[in-house]
C-alpha cells in the first residue's frame, strides 16, 4: 500500500471539513453516578437491527467508565445548546451541574433537552487505532423539532438551509 506522508495536524484539518452533528453521550457510572461527554463521532450504522455508533479516545478520562457501561444514551444537541456542549467537554467540573435530568431505561441519566435522543444497549466494541468504536442497539428514541448544533472546522454552528434532495 502506498501512502503519501502527512502529519496528524494536517489530517485533523482535513477531517474538520466534514460537518458533523454534536451529541452528548451519557451512562451510569460506578455507584450509579452519571457520566457524560461531548461527542461528534456519532452516526447511524444499521436499520435492521437499529444500530448506532460513536467512538471514544482510548486515553480519555471517560474511557474506563464508558467502556464498563452496558447501556448509554446519545443526545443530539439543538442549535441553542452550545454552552451544554462546552460544559460536557470541560475538564474538572461537574458536567451535570444545573442540567435537567430524567431517568431512562436501565437507570440511564437522560438530558431533558435535546434535538434527538437514543437510549441504547451496548451491542459491540471495536478497538481501532487510538479510539474504541462503541456500537449500540437502539432500545428507545425520541426527537424534537428545531435546528441541530453543527461542528465544522473546529467551530460550532447552527445555520442550515434545508433543500429537498430526494435522498
Amino acid at each position: 500500500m502506498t501512502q503519501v506522508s502527512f502529519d496528524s495536524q494536517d489530517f485533523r484539518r482535513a477531517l474538520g471539513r466534514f460537518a458533523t452533528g454534536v451529541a452528548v453521550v451519557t451512562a451510569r457510572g460506578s455507584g450509579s453516578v452519571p457520566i457524560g461527554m461531548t461527542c461528534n463521532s456519532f452516526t447511524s450504522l444499521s436499520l435492521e437491527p437499529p444500530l448506532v455508533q460513536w467512538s471514544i479516545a482510548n486515553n480519555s478520562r471517560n474511557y474506563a467508565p464508558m467502556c464498563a457501561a452496558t447501556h448509554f444514551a446519545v443526545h443530539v444537541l439543538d442549535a441553542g445548546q452550545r454552552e451544554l456542549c462546552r460544559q460536557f467537554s470541560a475538564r474538572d467540573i461537574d458536567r451535570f451541574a444545573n442540567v435537567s435530568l430524567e431517568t431512562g431505561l436501565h437507570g440511564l441519566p437522560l438530558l431533558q433537552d435535546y434535538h434527538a435522543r437514543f437510549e441504547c444497549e451496548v451491542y459491540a466494541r471495536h478497538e481501532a487505532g487510538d479510539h474504541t468504536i462503541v456500537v449500540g442497539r437502539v432500545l428507545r428514541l425520541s426527537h424534537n423539532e428545531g435546528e441541530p448544533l453543527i461542528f465544522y472546522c473546529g467551530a460550532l454552528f447552527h445555520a442550515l438551509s434545508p433543500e429537498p434532495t430526494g435522498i
Side-chain angles (χ1 to χ4, degrees):
M1 175 192 310
T2 303
Q3 180 176 332
V4 177
S5 178
F6 53 84
D7 67 23
S8 62
Q9 287 304 310
D10 195 35
F11 184 49
R12 188 179 188 115
R13 280 189 295 276
L15 290 172
R17 298 314 191 257
F18 181 68
T20 65
V22 181
V24 167
V25 178
T26 61
R28 271 182 29 193
S30 126
S32 295
V33 174
I35 54 175
M37 59 183 281
T38 299
C39 167
N40 76 328
S41 63
F42 172 71
T43 188
S44 62
L45 182 60
S46 169
L47 294 176
E48 278 301 321
L51 301 176
V52 296
Q53 66 183 12
W54 63 282
S55 64
I56 183 169
N58 295 341
N59 65 357
S60 169
R61 297 164 78 183
N62 296 299
Y63 180 82
M66 280 294 188
C67 286
T70 59
H71 295 80
F72 63 89
V74 178
H75 307 81
V76 177
L77 299 186
D78 186 88
Q81 294 181 295
R82 287 180 186 208
E83 287 309 311
L84 187 68
C85 169
R86 289 184 179 101
Q87 182 170 330
F88 273 87
S89 60
R91 292 178 165 259
D92 302 322
I93 67 163
D94 176 2
R95 293 178 174 176
F96 290 89
N98 302 313
V99 174
S100 298
L101 294 176
E102 56 193 38
T103 303
L105 299 174
H106 302 278
L108 282 171
L110 301 178
L111 307 182
Q112 287 184 347
D113 298 320
Y114 54 87
H115 192 54
R117 183 171 67 196
F118 303 85
E119 295 174 68
C120 306
E121 65 182 346
V122 173
Y123 185 83
R125 288 187 189 90
H126 304 284
E127 290 189 26
D130 59 2
H131 277 64
T132 295
I133 300 165
V134 181
V135 178
R137 182 182 181 105
V138 179
L139 303 174
R140 182 165 63 181
L141 60 86
S142 55
H143 50 90
N144 297 307
E145 294 300 318
E147 297 228 3
L149 186 60
I150 303 293
F151 188 72
Y152 178 73
C153 286
L156 296 170
F157 295 92
H158 67 272
L160 289 178
S161 298
E163 295 180 21
T165 63
I167 294 177

